[in-house]
Amino acid sequence: MGRSEEPAEARMRLPQLRLDELLEELQARLDAARGTRDRVHSLLEAVLSVGRELELEQVLRRIVEAAALLVDAEYAALGVIGADGKRLSAFHTVGVGPEEIARIGPYPEGHGILGELIRHPEPLRLAKLSEHPASYGFPAHHPPMNSFLGVPIRVRDQVFGNLYLTEKRGGAQFDEEDESVLSTLAVAAGVAIDNARLYEESRLRERWLQANAEITHSLMSGGPSAEVLGLIAERAGEITDSALAAVALPMEDTDSLAVEIAFGLDADAHRGLVLPMDRSLMGLAFSGAAPVTSSDAAHDQRISLEPRRFEGLGPAVAVPIGTGDVPRGVVLLARKEGRPVYSATEIEPLRSFAAQAAIAMELAERRRDAEEIAVLKDRDRIARDLHDLAIQRLFATGMTLQSAGRFIEHEEAAERVVRAVDDLDETIKIIRSTIFGLRARDGGAGTGLRARVVRAVGEAAPVLGFAPSVRMEGLVDTDVPQETADHVIAVLSEALTNIARHSGAQRADVALETDGREVRLTVADNGRGIPADGRRSGLRNMAERAEQLGGSLRMDCPEGGGTTLVWLVPVQR
């Protein structure tokens, strides 16, 4: 009887076991459904979070944070593909602190597995990174990483960058669902990035328009040209996030540019330089009437190495100011070494900005010309009135006094009349001189000191065997009178001749500066210096010229070689 009871109990427990299995399976499916619901909810929250941002850097940061959270990855990164489409130009990470990043070294450029995703922009899922043929391994101090999931981010059918996720928490592997969720996030990320780009472009366009309005207002209100040029350089540098901004203008009667304005890193090395058209970035942009770029201005073979002026700088762009075949000038911008090159999307608004600035400069010049013509016409009218009215009346009064003088018998009274007639004659001479001055025109006789200095240096270059560098600062043509300018040219020519004859130098630097009170000419070379028993006639002539004008000549010959002459005189008006 005991035996017959055991099968009955077994039959009763069997349905109970099946029911438990069904309940467990139901619970698992409920948990899976709840997990899927929670994950979809998390994905929607991530999409909304990414879409709320408008600043591109913040958008990229939110994307990589959301990706790590959604697939439960310990490490996440977003690599932005550069303009060449082959390397990463920016890298945003999660899971690695600043100290670890500093120990690891520079961010990756897109080799190994990262490069694999650049070359083949399709989702990539790996159980072990090191087993993939494209794996290069990790640099020193890099945290260990095994499981990997990579997904490309597209913006308008163009690959913007890639999401890289490693080390799923708990030692698990990334699965198809992780890949699907991350791919969905990548689509939303592409939309958010596109919106952020459009927002940045609109803000950038607004800043360019504000800068144009500011420059136009300054020009039309009669602001000094130097102030306006400085405004052009300063605003262009700020908007493009450049470390250096400079403006150069063409020089009269010479095939050279003079750097009038420079702001930023090592601006003193640029300010006042005279640049050739064929060996400078600015000259190439001016002669070609088109923008010229350089990925590394400090080592660009098209740019003359002397004087050194691009230390610490890398990408550069020179844009002509104007839209015609002959620009009005050139604006140069340069970024620090290692920064991104100037892209076409940056150069185009810069070019439009320079063209608008040129139009404003043209309108301001036309306005000044019209005002000058009005002044000249007014001078002609005054001169005509003085000649036709004042002089004739004075002449008639003098004739009357002369006639009346014959009838005056008192000797002293007669003398007074004669003196009055003489005074009238002198007055007529003064008025005639004034009329001549009013009618005189500035015919531009003689070229300015700037052009004469450049010409003197150019004439000395064949004798020297090299072209000296030239730097000029201040209102050289305006503040330095003709007599002093003649002495400057004579001293400069003598100094360059001495370098060619006696120094054996391979380099010479010429600097002409004035602050309105003094004019300073500095000529330096890297030759053998002046021997103690050498001839001093040329130096004596230069010193005498300085003493004649109340100035001085200073000479410095350091032990390492080379000579520096400083000729300093006050500006006499």
Side-chain angles (χ1 to χ4, degrees):
M1 189 162 178
R3 292 194 191 125
S4 61
E5 289 178 359
E6 288 182 6
E9 289 180 9
R11 285 193 297 270
M12 291 178 63
R13 285 198 299 271
L14 186 59
Q16 183 69 36
L17 289 173
R18 288 179 179 173
L19 180 60
D20 289 343
E21 290 175 359
L22 290 173
L23 288 174
E24 287 177 3
E25 183 179 350
L26 179 61
Q27 184 64 44
R29 292 189 178 185
L30 288 173
D31 291 342
R34 189 180 298 110
T36 301
R37 183 200 63 186
D38 293 343
R39 198 161 198 185
V40 170
H41 183 68
S42 298
L43 178 60
L44 290 174
E45 282 188 346
V47 170
L48 290 174
S49 174
V50 168
R52 277 194 293 264
E53 296 291 345
L54 288 175
E55 297 286 346
L56 183 58
E57 289 299 314
Q58 290 297 325
V59 168
L60 299 179
R61 169 59 57 182
R62 285 294 182 96
I63 291 171
V64 72
E65 289 175 350
L69 186 63
L70 283 172
V71 298
D72 201 22
E74 187 173 353
Y75 304 107
L78 192 158
V80 180
I81 299 175
D84 60 1
K86 299 177 181 179
R87 294 184 300 176
L88 299 176
S89 61
F91 213 72
H92 302 265
T93 62
V94 166
V96 183
E99 294 181 359
E100 288 180 280
I101 293 173
R103 286 197 301 271
I104 295 169
Y107 282 117
E109 295 184 355
H111 303 294
I113 295 295
L114 305 188
E116 182 72 15
L117 211 58
I118 295 174
R119 292 186 294 273
H120 306 287
E122 298 293 337
L124 178 64
R125 185 156 41 94
L126 302 173
K128 198 171 183 61
L129 270 168
S130 58
E131 294 178 354
H132 194 279
S135 178
Y136 276 10
F138 297 107
H141 308 294
H142 197 286
M145 295 179 181
N146 292 298
S147 56
F148 173 86
L149 175 59
V151 173
I153 298 176
R154 288 181 170 83
V155 177
R156 296 188 180 185
D157 297 327
Q158 183 178 2
V159 179
F160 172 83
N162 297 306
L163 276 171
Y164 308 108
L165 287 302
T166 61
E167 290 299 284
K168 189 174 178 70
R169 296 183 187 277
Q173 297 294 322
F174 294 108
D175 54 23
E176 291 184 5
E177 189 175 341
D178 291 326
E179 182 179 320
S180 176
V181 168
L182 204 59
S183 297
T184 304
L185 177 65
V187 173
V191 176
I193 290 169
D194 193 29
N195 289 338
R197 278 178 163 180
L198 292 173
Y199 175 70
E200 282 196 352
E201 287 176 8
S202 65
R203 286 186 62 189
L204 190 63
R205 195 177 300 113
E206 182 183 0
R207 292 184 68 187
W208 282 121
L209 289 173
Q210 288 176 349
N212 267 319
E214 188 177 2
I215 289 166
T216 302
H217 178 268
S218 180
L219 282 166
M220 293 304 159
S221 60
S225 59
E227 180 181 314
V228 176
L229 291 175
L231 199 58
I232 291 173
E234 193 172 359
R235 293 294 176 268
E238 289 175 356
I239 294 173
T240 58
D241 194 23
S242 300
L244 172 73
V247 174
L249 301 180
M251 299 182 64
E252 294 182 4
D253 302 325
T254 64
D255 193 23
S256 305
L257 295 172
V259 181
E260 301 286 347
I261 302 293
F263 291 104
L265 184 64
D266 209 10
D268 291 339
H270 294 260
R271 196 178 298 117
L273 274 180
V274 176
L275 302 173
M277 292 293 181
D278 58 342
R279 297 190 310 279
S280 66
L281 213 60
M282 284 181 153
L284 293 172
F286 184 88
S287 57
V292 177
T293 60
S294 174
S295 59
D296 187 2
H299 302 92
D300 197 319
Q301 295 182 352
R302 297 171 297 171
I303 303 173
S304 59
L305 297 178
E306 300 295 342
R308 296 186 179 278
R309 57 194 184 277
F310 289 108
E311 297 294 331
L313 295 172
V317 60
V319 177
I321 300 175
T323 55
D325 294 335
V326 182
R328 303 182 64 86
V330 181
V331 58
L332 170 76
L333 301 174
R335 288 174 175 152
K336 288 185 178 180
E337 193 175 6
R339 292 293 311 283
V341 297
Y342 291 89
S343 63
T345 56
E346 291 178 302
I347 295 174
E348 193 55 40
L350 174 60
R351 191 175 186 178
S352 300
F353 168 74
Q356 291 294 328
I359 293 172
M361 292 168 70
E362 183 76 22
L363 291 174
E365 282 188 8
R366 293 290 177 267
R367 178 181 174 182
R368 284 194 293 270
D369 289 344
E371 291 174 351
E372 185 176 348
I373 290 171
V375 170
L376 293 175
K377 286 183 177 179
D378 202 37
R379 287 180 177 179
D380 284 341
R381 180 188 60 77
I382 294 170
R384 187 171 59 250
D385 291 346
L386 285 173
H387 183 272
D388 296 343
L389 300 175
I391 287 183
Q392 298 303 325
R393 296 193 66 174
L394 288 172
F395 187 75
T397 302
M399 293 290 291
T400 301
L401 286 175
Q402 279 184 327
S403 300
R406 290 195 288 268
F407 300 101
I408 299 175
E409 296 180 356
H410 194 282
E411 184 177 352
E412 186 176 347
E415 289 178 358
R416 288 186 178 183
V417 170
V418 171
R419 285 199 301 270
V421 172
D422 291 340
D423 288 344
L424 285 174
D425 286 341
E426 287 298 321
T427 303
I428 290 172
K429 290 179 181 179
I430 292 172
I431 293 176
R432 280 178 172 165
S433 176
T434 302
I435 292 172
F436 178 79
L438 287 171
R439 286 179 171 171
R441 297 290 186 270
D442 182 10
T447 56
L449 181 55
R450 281 179 180 267
R452 295 177 68 188
V453 168
V454 173
R455 191 157 47 247
V457 171
E459 291 171 354
V463 181
L464 290 165
F466 58 88
S469 71
V470 183
R471 182 195 311 280
M472 286 182 267
E473 291 190 37
L475 302 176
V476 174
D477 290 336
T478 305
D479 287 345
V480 181
Q482 184 67 34
E483 180 186 359
T484 306
D486 293 340
H487 284 288
V488 168
I489 296 301
V491 171
L492 175 60
S493 299
E494 181 71 29
L496 292 175
T497 301
N498 288 344
I499 293 173
R501 288 179 178 174
H502 310 298
S503 73
Q506 302 299 318
R507 172 181 170 180
D509 301 308
V510 176
L512 182 63
E513 306 159 279
T514 182
D515 57 1
R517 297 186 299 274
E518 295 177 327
V519 58
R520 179 196 304 268
L521 174 65
T522 305
V523 182
D525 67 75
N526 64 346
R528 65 178 65 96
I530 300 176
D533 57 349
R535 295 180 59 185
R536 303 279 175 147
S537 56
L539 294 173
R540 187 164 53 251
N541 290 338
M542 288 187 271
E544 288 175 356
R545 288 181 182 276
E547 291 170 2
Q548 181 182 340
L549 298 175
S552 63
L553 173 69
R554 190 177 74 248
M555 181 179 64
D556 182 25
C557 297
E559 294 182 1
T563 304
T564 299
L565 295 177
V566 179
W567 191 82
L568 179 67
V569 298
V571 172
Q572 299 175 352
R573 300 183 180 279

